[in-house]
Amino acid sequence: MGELRLMKGNEALAEAAIRAGVDGYFGYPITPQSEVIEYLMSEKPHERTGMVVLQAESEVASINMLYGGGGTGKKVMTSSSSPGISLMQEGLSYLAGAEIPCVVANVVRGGPGLGDIQPAQSDYFQSVKGGGHGDYRLFVIAPASVQEMSDFVPLAFDVAFKYRIPSLIVSDGLIGQMMEKVELFDPIPRLTDEEVIARYPWATNGKPKGKERRILTSLDLDPHKMERHNWALQEKYKLIEENETRFELIGCDDAEYIIVAYGSSSRIAQKSIQLARKKGIKVGLLRLITLWPFPKKPIEEFVKNGIKGFLTVEMSAGQMIEDVKLVVEGRAKVEHFGRYGGVIHSPEEVLEALEQKLIGG
Amino acid sequence: MAEITLQDIIKPENLVYQKTKLMTDKTLSYCPGCGHGTAHRLIMEVIEELGKENDTIGVAPVGCSVLAYEFMNVDMQEAAHGRAPAVATAIKRLWPGKVVFSYQGDGDLAAIGTAETIHACNRGERIVMVFINNGIYGMTGGQMAPTTLPNMKTATSPYGRDIDMMGNPLKMTELVSYLPGTYFVTRQAVHTPAAVRKAKRALRMAFQNQIDGKPGVSFVEIVSNCNSGWKMEPVQANTWMEENMFPFYQLGDIKVDGKLIDR
């Protein structure tokens, strides 16, 4: 059993970064995630593990520091909240293009624009549909608890390095700010410079003696070469879809209706399911753990088995519903419910929506 | 007297100069007469002479020198437009024993990347920043740069840079010299053999500062021509540069060993 602590989600993320053997964190304060860099600064990780923590001049600088640091084969990470993540989209596109591993955490708040500082899930499109320019994907994973704010950090790094892809941890102001019990994982030692050099031959950390130099770029002025580069990226994304899709099924065995949710909404939906079951409504929860790759298979299974309908629950105007509909292809009813702009729905509101939109409707 | 053939001359003992092995054999993409090629070569010569070929990471910009990584035979990263100082910051912080440099033009360093430039300099990152200033956006076809001189004609100031309407040219190098995080700040040129020798000395000092762990950025501006963008013959462009650019962008050291020079 690992060390138990009562922590905020943001603090758990920061502690996990130190324990995951992260070499560099580059960040910029923004509510509701400023505790990440505050915790890191107060923990003196340069003394604990030798980890570098730097407050950058902007999110634009932070994400480009990830490009530089990640490009040398080091484990690098940043975190921010919605408006700051918007500023990072250029950098994410370059990171994806140059195939540089890194981890970015978005503690989502209400939008659009400056929005507010309350929890929201309205960055789904930005997270999984690109956000920046070009044909690229991020590995997008959504914690639903403070525990997972910790657990998903090493996981996000594993995937990032395995496939040379940026990973995005998408939580929200609720998970970032709430306190829960966390079982911390045992520290993973940082790699030595020699280990980094040996393990990542693509990394630019000084041309090895007697070998070719390495170049990290997202540019190729020859369109045919650029198309081939894109084909290689798409092959990689296909592999990630096959191997890295994650989801959880709760109470789905006898379910006639399915709620599809992730993050905070999936926690709320668990209560809604209990309330529904008390009323005799057979509803289960498909909790998305990865947002990209999107868990298509369980949805396909539900449709094949004659499910009566899906209710997507998201603190947005209805973004994730589009991906559910793409799998369902009109074969079952798909409805959306969610409060947004920083408002959190209650379990009762979700149940009411289920009854009105799917059962009564 | 016997006729001397080429074979009589090409002998190892007669060798006085050769291309540094840290420049690749790839044909430079620069216009004939452009200073970028010389600037590239000087940096690579300095790195070779300092014995840092296997310990150097360079960061290329966006602009004419976007393909710098094709020509510089060391580990290289291609940064987004203006972000090279942020990219270089992280590399140096995570590999403090390595030699890290950024290479940027005026649009990259002094316009879109102003924040990254100022803050890398102000934090005192122990990197070399090379800044090529030709007063114009060359790559995109000769538009106005932050460094374009007053009344200078460009594609986006076709009647000359009107200061009232388009603002003033930015002396980025003087600006960063006032920041406590810069250790060495100099402005050089590469259009004559004498200027090339001086520029190389400056670059050598910049890289030596970093190797010696001197606190702060070593910032080397190279005022260069852009004969294509300026729509001049190369020789004419160099003359124009001497007569117009140098009076505004005065050559010489601005800050040495962390102290401003009385100019």
Side-chain angles (χ1 to χ4, degrees), chain A residues 64 96 109 196 210 213 270 276 354:
Chain A
N64 285 284
R109 65 188 233 184
V196 170
R213 74 191 193 301
Q270 284 185 52
L354 180 80

Side-chain angles (χ1 to χ4, degrees), chain A residues 286-333:
Chain A
L286 166 60
R287 181 211 155 196
L288 310 178
I289 296 175
T290 55
L291 304 185
W292 195 89
F294 186 77
K296 295 175 185 168
K297 275 183 190 163
I299 294 173
E300 181 62 34
E301 286 300 311
F302 288 130
V303 173
K304 277 186 185 157
N305 294 331
I307 206 82
K308 287 184 179 167
F310 296 91
L311 181 72
T312 64
V313 179
E314 187 183 39
M315 292 187 286
S316 77
Q319 299 189 16
M320 181 256 292
I321 187 173
E322 293 192 3
D323 283 331
V324 176
K325 281 185 169 175
L326 281 172
V327 182
V328 174
E329 289 185 310
R331 292 170 293 168
K333 200 168 182 184

Side-chain angles (χ1 to χ4, degrees), chain A residues 67 94 98 204 212-222 226, chain B residues 22-26 28-30 40 44 57-80 101 103 139:
Chain A
Y67 186 99
Y94 280 70
T204 53
E212 287 292 302
R213 74 191 193 301
R214 286 74 56 95
I215 297 167
L216 285 174
T217 181
S218 57
L219 173 77
D220 203 317
L221 293 171
D222 178 341
M226 185 42 76
Chain B
L22 294 193
M23 284 294 283
T24 65
D25 290 332
K26 204 164 171 102
L28 291 171
S29 50
Y30 303 112
H40 282 22
M44 290 299 110
I57 301 114
V59 183
V62 172
C64 283
S65 47
V66 65
L67 293 172
Y69 57 80
E70 296 274 1
F71 315 122
M72 296 179 174
N73 195 5
V74 292
D75 270 7
M76 295 287 293
Q77 292 192 9
E78 163 54 34
F101 74 92
Y103 186 101
M139 169 69 109

